[in-house]
Tab-separated table of all heavy atoms in Angstrom:
chain	number	residue	atom	x	y	z
A	6	ALA	N	0.831	-1.209	-0.001
A	6	ALA	CA	0.002	-0.002	0.014
A	6	ALA	C	0.869	1.258	0.001
A	6	ALA	O	0.578	2.220	-0.723
A	6	ALA	CB	-0.944	0.015	1.209
A	7	LEU	N	1.929	1.268	0.801
A	7	LEU	CA	2.844	2.394	0.816
A	7	LEU	C	3.572	2.548	-0.528
A	7	LEU	O	3.737	3.649	-1.037
A	7	LEU	CB	3.856	2.241	1.948
A	7	LEU	CG	3.356	2.506	3.347
A	7	LEU	CD1	4.397	2.042	4.372
A	7	LEU	CD2	3.060	3.985	3.564
A	8	ALA	N	3.980	1.403	-1.102
A	8	ALA	CA	4.680	1.445	-2.390
A	8	ALA	C	3.762	2.024	-3.471
A	8	ALA	O	4.189	2.839	-4.280
A	8	ALA	CB	5.154	0.061	-2.761
A	9	GLN	N	2.513	1.596	-3.481
A	9	GLN	CA	1.577	2.126	-4.499
A	9	GLN	C	1.353	3.609	-4.306
A	9	GLN	O	1.316	4.387	-5.261
A	9	GLN	CB	0.237	1.405	-4.412
A	9	GLN	CG	-0.746	1.888	-5.453
A	9	GLN	CD	-2.033	1.075	-5.495
A	9	GLN	OE1	-2.118	0.004	-4.888
A	9	GLN	NE2	-3.026	1.593	-6.191
A	10	ARG	N	1.217	4.044	-3.047
A	10	ARG	CA	1.004	5.438	-2.745
A	10	ARG	C	2.129	6.333	-3.285
A	10	ARG	O	1.884	7.323	-3.969
A	10	ARG	CB	0.915	5.600	-1.210
A	10	ARG	CG	0.694	7.012	-0.663
A	10	ARG	CD	0.752	6.931	0.846
A	10	ARG	NE	0.599	8.200	1.506
A	10	ARG	CZ	-0.544	8.714	1.939
A	10	ARG	NH1	-1.659	8.047	1.784
A	10	ARG	NH2	-0.566	9.895	2.544
A	11	HIS	N	3.381	5.907	-3.058
A	11	HIS	CA	4.504	6.700	-3.517
A	11	HIS	C	4.771	6.516	-4.984
A	11	HIS	O	5.176	7.486	-5.689
A	11	HIS	CB	5.733	6.362	-2.685
A	11	HIS	CG	5.653	6.855	-1.286
A	11	HIS	ND1	5.796	8.189	-0.968
A	11	HIS	CD2	5.417	6.222	-0.093
A	11	HIS	CE1	5.675	8.366	0.344
A	11	HIS	NE2	5.413	7.172	0.886
A	12	THR	N	4.544	5.345	-5.526
A	12	THR	CA	4.754	5.122	-6.965
A	12	THR	C	3.725	5.901	-7.786
A	12	THR	O	4.047	6.494	-8.812
A	12	THR	CB	4.676	3.629	-7.295
A	12	THR	OG1	5.597	2.916	-6.490
A	12	THR	CG2	5.002	3.383	-8.772
A	13	ASP	N	2.474	5.946	-7.327
A	13	ASP	CA	1.453	6.727	-8.027
A	13	ASP	C	1.879	8.198	-8.104
A	13	ASP	O	1.735	8.831	-9.161
A	13	ASP	CB	0.104	6.642	-7.271
A	13	ASP	CG	-0.584	5.300	-7.450
A	13	ASP	OD1	-0.153	4.522	-8.318
A	13	ASP	OD2	-1.551	5.044	-6.735
A	14	ALA	N	2.360	8.746	-6.992
A	14	ALA	CA	2.776	10.157	-6.980
A	14	ALA	C	3.958	10.371	-7.893
A	14	ALA	O	4.012	11.376	-8.647
A	14	ALA	CB	3.106	10.593	-5.571
A	15	LEU	N	4.930	9.450	-7.900
A	15	LEU	CA	6.098	9.591	-8.727
A	15	LEU	C	5.724	9.519	-10.209
A	15	LEU	O	6.175	10.319	-11.041
A	15	LEU	CB	7.135	8.530	-8.386
A	15	LEU	CG	8.395	8.495	-9.248
A	15	LEU	CD1	9.143	9.831	-9.194
A	15	LEU	CD2	9.302	7.368	-8.798
A	16	LEU	N	4.872	8.533	-10.572
A	16	LEU	CA	4.473	8.384	-11.968
A	16	LEU	C	3.725	9.609	-12.470
A	16	LEU	O	3.881	10.023	-13.622
A	16	LEU	CB	3.616	7.126	-12.126
A	16	LEU	CG	4.370	5.800	-12.053
A	16	LEU	CD1	3.431	4.620	-11.999
A	16	LEU	CD2	5.338	5.662	-13.251
A	17	GLU	N	2.910	10.201	-11.609
A	17	GLU	CA	2.204	11.426	-12.012
A	17	GLU	C	3.179	12.546	-12.320
A	17	GLU	O	3.045	13.276	-13.307
A	17	GLU	CB	1.255	11.841	-10.887
A	17	GLU	CG	0.400	13.049	-11.243
A	17	GLU	CD	-0.612	13.404	-10.155
A	17	GLU	OE1	-0.821	12.579	-9.222
A	17	GLU	OE2	-1.207	14.498	-10.234
A	18	SER	N	4.230	12.660	-11.507
A	18	SER	CA	5.263	13.684	-11.757
A	18	SER	C	6.052	13.374	-13.011
A	18	SER	O	6.387	14.281	-13.788
A	18	SER	CB	6.225	13.751	-10.549
A	18	SER	OG	5.550	14.130	-9.383
A	19	LEU	N	6.360	12.110	-13.260
A	19	LEU	CA	7.087	11.751	-14.472
A	19	LEU	C	6.265	12.020	-15.724
A	19	LEU	O	6.786	12.528	-16.733
A	19	LEU	CB	7.486	10.269	-14.422
A	19	LEU	CG	8.521	9.877	-13.374
A	19	LEU	CD1	8.711	8.366	-13.321
A	19	LEU	CD2	9.856	10.562	-13.616
A	20	ARG	N	4.979	11.712	-15.677
A	20	ARG	CA	4.120	12.019	-16.815
A	20	ARG	C	4.058	13.513	-17.084
A	20	ARG	O	4.045	13.950	-18.263
A	20	ARG	CB	2.717	11.483	-16.587
A	20	ARG	CG	2.607	9.942	-16.589
A	20	ARG	CD	1.153	9.486	-16.545
A	20	ARG	NE	1.030	8.095	-16.191
A	20	ARG	CZ	0.689	7.642	-14.993
A	20	ARG	NH1	0.437	8.507	-14.017
A	20	ARG	NH2	0.611	6.355	-14.763
A	21	ALA	N	4.004	14.315	-16.046
A	21	ALA	CA	3.964	15.770	-16.213
A	21	ALA	C	5.233	16.251	-16.906
A	21	ALA	O	5.190	17.153	-17.751
A	21	ALA	CB	3.799	16.461	-14.850
A	22	ALA	N	6.382	15.679	-16.503
A	22	ALA	CA	7.637	16.067	-17.142
A	22	ALA	C	7.666	15.684	-18.613
A	22	ALA	O	8.132	16.416	-19.480
A	22	ALA	CB	8.828	15.423	-16.398
A	23	LEU	N	7.137	14.479	-18.925
A	23	LEU	CA	7.075	14.030	-20.329
A	23	LEU	C	6.123	14.846	-21.162
A	23	LEU	O	6.305	14.967	-22.384
A	23	LEU	CB	6.681	12.544	-20.355
A	23	LEU	CG	7.736	11.539	-19.933
A	23	LEU	CD1	7.154	10.187	-19.694
A	23	LEU	CD2	8.860	11.454	-21.003
A	24	ASP	N	5.108	15.390	-20.547
A	24	ASP	CA	4.098	16.157	-21.261
A	24	ASP	C	4.390	17.671	-21.347
A	24	ASP	O	3.625	18.408	-21.945
A	24	ASP	CB	2.720	15.977	-20.623
A	24	ASP	CG	2.149	14.569	-20.878
A	24	ASP	OD1	2.548	13.955	-21.877
A	24	ASP	OD2	1.328	14.109	-20.074
A	25	ALA	N	5.464	18.078	-20.732
A	25	ALA	CA	5.766	19.548	-20.677
A	25	ALA	C	6.013	20.049	-22.069
A	25	ALA	O	6.567	19.361	-22.940
A	25	ALA	CB	6.988	19.775	-19.786
A	26	PRO	N	5.612	21.315	-22.348
A	26	PRO	CA	5.834	21.913	-23.693
A	26	PRO	C	7.289	22.308	-23.863
A	26	PRO	O	7.667	23.456	-23.561
A	26	PRO	CB	4.880	23.123	-23.663
A	26	PRO	CG	4.774	23.493	-22.218
A	26	PRO	CD	4.860	22.217	-21.452
A	27	ALA	N	8.118	21.390	-24.292
A	27	ALA	CA	9.550	21.659	-24.441
A	27	ALA	C	10.112	20.739	-25.527
A	27	ALA	O	9.418	19.832	-26.014
A	27	ALA	CB	10.277	21.410	-23.110
A	28	GLU	N	11.347	20.992	-25.923
A	28	GLU	CA	12.010	20.135	-26.890
A	28	GLU	C	12.253	18.753	-26.281
A	28	GLU	O	12.322	18.590	-25.061
A	28	GLU	CB	13.340	20.735	-27.328
A	28	GLU	CG	13.200	22.031	-28.095
A	28	GLU	CD	12.449	21.859	-29.385
A	28	GLU	OE1	12.681	20.850	-30.079
A	28	GLU	OE2	11.606	22.723	-29.699
A	29	ARG	N	12.407	17.743	-27.136
A	29	ARG	CA	12.534	16.363	-26.651
A	29	ARG	C	13.695	16.218	-25.676
A	29	ARG	O	13.529	15.572	-24.647
A	29	ARG	CB	12.687	15.403	-27.824
A	29	ARG	CG	12.707	13.937	-27.398
A	29	ARG	CD	12.915	13.005	-28.549
A	29	ARG	NE	11.797	12.987	-29.485
A	29	ARG	CZ	11.748	12.205	-30.566
A	29	ARG	NH1	12.762	11.394	-30.832
A	29	ARG	NH2	10.683	12.248	-31.362
A	30	ARG	N	14.846	16.742	-25.994
A	30	ARG	CA	16.006	16.617	-25.095
A	30	ARG	C	15.694	17.216	-23.722
A	30	ARG	O	16.050	16.655	-22.683
A	30	ARG	CB	17.209	17.304	-25.722
A	30	ARG	CG	18.437	17.445	-24.801
A	30	ARG	CD	19.138	16.139	-24.589
A	30	ARG	NE	20.205	16.262	-23.583
A	30	ARG	CZ	21.381	15.651	-23.607
A	30	ARG	NH1	21.655	14.834	-24.582
A	30	ARG	NH2	22.238	15.807	-22.647
A	31	GLU	N	15.033	18.356	-23.731
A	31	GLU	CA	14.689	18.994	-22.446
A	31	GLU	C	13.730	18.131	-21.626
A	31	GLU	O	13.843	18.022	-20.399
A	31	GLU	CB	14.039	20.377	-22.683
A	31	GLU	CG	14.968	21.412	-23.273
A	31	GLU	CD	14.242	22.697	-23.566
A	31	GLU	OE1	13.503	22.755	-24.582
A	31	GLU	OE2	14.379	23.660	-22.784
A	32	ARG	N	12.795	17.485	-22.311
A	32	ARG	CA	11.833	16.613	-21.594
A	32	ARG	C	12.499	15.343	-21.077
A	32	ARG	O	12.146	14.837	-20.030
A	32	ARG	CB	10.638	16.327	-22.474
A	32	ARG	CG	9.674	17.498	-22.545
A	32	ARG	CD	8.405	17.214	-23.303
A	32	ARG	NE	8.622	17.306	-24.739
A	32	ARG	CZ	8.588	16.272	-25.585
A	32	ARG	NH1	8.310	15.067	-25.138
A	32	ARG	NH2	8.792	16.450	-26.861
A	33	VAL	N	13.461	14.819	-21.848
A	33	VAL	CA	14.210	13.654	-21.358
A	33	VAL	C	14.964	14.012	-20.095
A	33	VAL	O	14.929	13.296	-19.090
A	33	VAL	CB	15.186	13.156	-22.455
A	33	VAL	CG1	16.166	12.130	-21.870
A	33	VAL	CG2	14.424	12.539	-23.624
A	34	GLU	N	15.644	15.162	-20.097
A	34	GLU	CA	16.396	15.597	-18.940
A	34	GLU	C	15.428	15.904	-17.763
A	34	GLU	O	15.753	15.556	-16.619
A	34	GLU	CB	17.224	16.834	-19.257
A	34	GLU	CG	18.387	16.522	-20.189
A	34	GLU	CD	19.374	17.674	-20.292
A	34	GLU	OE1	19.167	18.697	-19.601
A	34	GLU	OE2	20.344	17.546	-21.084
A	35	ALA	N	14.294	16.514	-18.051
A	35	ALA	CA	13.324	16.832	-16.987
A	35	ALA	C	12.791	15.543	-16.357
A	35	ALA	O	12.565	15.525	-15.137
A	35	ALA	CB	12.197	17.662	-17.547
A	36	THR	N	12.566	14.523	-17.151
A	36	THR	CA	12.053	13.238	-16.631
A	36	THR	C	13.085	12.585	-15.716
A	36	THR	O	12.751	12.105	-14.623
A	36	THR	CB	11.678	12.329	-17.771
A	36	THR	OG1	10.690	12.979	-18.606
A	36	THR	CG2	11.074	11.024	-17.235
A	37	LEU	N	14.328	12.542	-16.182
A	37	LEU	CA	15.399	11.993	-15.354
A	37	LEU	C	15.539	12.787	-14.039
A	37	LEU	O	15.674	12.221	-12.975
A	37	LEU	CB	16.718	12.008	-16.116
A	37	LEU	CG	16.838	11.069	-17.315
A	37	LEU	CD1	18.052	11.414	-18.166
A	37	LEU	CD2	16.895	9.617	-16.884
A	38	ASP	N	15.497	14.117	-14.172
A	38	ASP	CA	15.665	14.963	-13.001
A	38	ASP	C	14.499	14.790	-12.024
A	38	ASP	O	14.682	14.850	-10.798
A	38	ASP	CB	15.773	16.420	-13.419
A	38	ASP	CG	16.172	17.328	-12.251
A	38	ASP	OD1	17.240	17.109	-11.662
A	38	ASP	OD2	15.395	18.240	-11.926
A	39	THR	N	13.291	14.584	-12.522
A	39	THR	CA	12.126	14.382	-11.670
A	39	THR	C	12.311	13.156	-10.798
A	39	THR	O	12.031	13.182	-9.574
A	39	THR	CB	10.859	14.254	-12.514
A	39	THR	OG1	10.596	15.511	-13.202
A	39	THR	CG2	9.654	13.895	-11.665
A	40	TYR	N	12.809	12.070	-11.384
A	40	TYR	CA	13.029	10.843	-10.603
A	40	TYR	C	14.102	11.085	-9.535
A	40	TYR	O	13.931	10.757	-8.362
A	40	TYR	CB	13.452	9.697	-11.528
A	40	TYR	CG	13.826	8.443	-10.775
A	40	TYR	CD1	12.841	7.577	-10.296
A	40	TYR	CD2	15.165	8.166	-10.495
A	40	TYR	CE1	13.182	6.453	-9.580
A	40	TYR	CE2	15.510	7.022	-9.760
A	40	TYR	CZ	14.545	6.178	-9.320
A	40	TYR	OH	14.864	5.077	-8.587
A	41	LEU	N	15.237	11.670	-9.950
A	41	LEU	CA	16.335	11.866	-9.004
A	41	LEU	C	15.954	12.858	-7.920
A	41	LEU	O	16.341	12.695	-6.751
A	41	LEU	CB	17.571	12.352	-9.766
A	41	LEU	CG	18.196	11.336	-10.739
A	41	LEU	CD1	19.276	11.982	-11.559
A	41	LEU	CD2	18.759	10.115	-9.994
A	42	ALA	N	15.203	13.882	-8.276
A	42	ALA	CA	14.769	14.872	-7.279
A	42	ALA	C	13.855	14.210	-6.251
A	42	ALA	O	13.897	14.556	-5.065
A	42	ALA	CB	14.062	16.041	-7.955
A	43	ALA	N	13.018	13.288	-6.706
A	43	ALA	CA	12.096	12.618	-5.779
A	43	ALA	C	12.851	11.767	-4.752
A	43	ALA	O	12.534	11.797	-3.584
A	43	ALA	CB	11.110	11.734	-6.571
A	44	ILE	N	13.854	11.021	-5.177
A	44	ILE	CA	14.553	10.173	-4.218
A	44	ILE	C	15.498	11.032	-3.350
A	44	ILE	O	15.767	10.670	-2.209
A	44	ILE	CB	15.333	9.021	-4.884
A	44	ILE	CG1	16.474	9.515	-5.779
A	44	ILE	CG2	14.381	8.164	-5.720
A	44	ILE	CD1	17.363	8.404	-6.324
A	45	GLU	N	15.937	12.154	-3.890
A	45	GLU	CA	16.796	13.052	-3.080
A	45	GLU	C	15.959	13.744	-2.014
A	45	GLU	O	16.443	13.935	-0.885
A	45	GLU	CB	17.469	14.090	-3.980
A	45	GLU	CG	18.373	15.046	-3.238
A	45	GLU	CD	19.019	16.069	-4.134
A	45	GLU	OE1	18.344	16.527	-5.077
A	45	GLU	OE2	20.178	16.411	-3.905
A	46	ALA	N	14.743	14.144	-2.350
A	46	ALA	CA	13.900	14.879	-1.406
A	46	ALA	C	13.442	13.984	-0.231
A	46	ALA	O	13.272	14.478	0.883
A	46	ALA	CB	12.689	15.442	-2.128
A	47	ARG	N	13.228	12.684	-0.495
A	47	ARG	CA	12.737	11.788	0.581
A	47	ARG	C	13.591	10.509	0.579
A	47	ARG	O	13.076	9.415	0.291
A	47	ARG	CB	11.266	11.473	0.316
A	47	ARG	CG	10.387	12.715	0.176
A	47	ARG	CD	8.917	12.375	0.081
A	47	ARG	NE	8.358	12.162	1.408
A	47	ARG	CZ	7.079	11.763	1.598
A	47	ARG	NH1	6.297	11.527	0.584
A	47	ARG	NH2	6.637	11.609	2.826
A	48	PRO	N	14.859	10.650	0.932
A	48	PRO	CA	15.736	9.484	0.872
A	48	PRO	C	15.329	8.365	1.832
A	48	PRO	O	15.536	7.178	1.521
A	48	PRO	CB	17.122	10.044	1.250
A	48	PRO	CG	16.812	11.307	2.026
A	48	PRO	CD	15.566	11.855	1.387
A	49	GLN	N	14.732	8.689	2.985
A	49	GLN	CA	14.295	7.648	3.903
A	49	GLN	C	13.182	6.832	3.290
A	49	GLN	O	13.125	5.613	3.470
A	49	GLN	CB	13.848	8.264	5.238
A	49	GLN	CG	14.991	8.842	6.057
A	49	GLN	CD	15.863	7.742	6.694
A	49	GLN	OE1	16.502	6.974	5.970
A	49	GLN	NE2	15.867	7.677	8.019
A	50	VAL	N	12.262	7.483	2.577
A	50	VAL	CA	11.190	6.765	1.902
A	50	VAL	C	11.778	5.836	0.847
A	50	VAL	O	11.414	4.645	0.729
A	50	VAL	CB	10.184	7.724	1.286
A	50	VAL	CG1	9.145	6.960	0.431
A	50	VAL	CG2	9.448	8.511	2.371
């Protein structure tokens, strides 16, 4: 249940990065950064 809760939130953020109005390279970098920012912000989780 906890894994689903956090994975749902992460996937929503990743989709937002992929859907952002930007060039493909920018969206690739934004998607990678979204994942890394998430684990950096809540390392204990």
Side-chain angles (χ1 to χ4, degrees):
L7 285 168
Q9 181 173 348
R10 179 185 178 93
H11 288 287
T12 305
D13 286 348
L15 177 58
L16 286 171
E17 185 175 348
S18 298
L19 292 174
R20 291 189 195 102
L23 286 166
D24 288 335
E28 295 298 319
R29 185 183 293 182
R30 170 74 188 216
E31 293 176 284
R32 283 185 280 113
V33 169
E34 291 191 3
T36 302
L37 293 167
D38 190 59
T39 295
Y40 175 82
L41 294 171
I44 67 173
E45 181 180 37
R47 306 186 82 185
Q49 290 287 63
V50 173

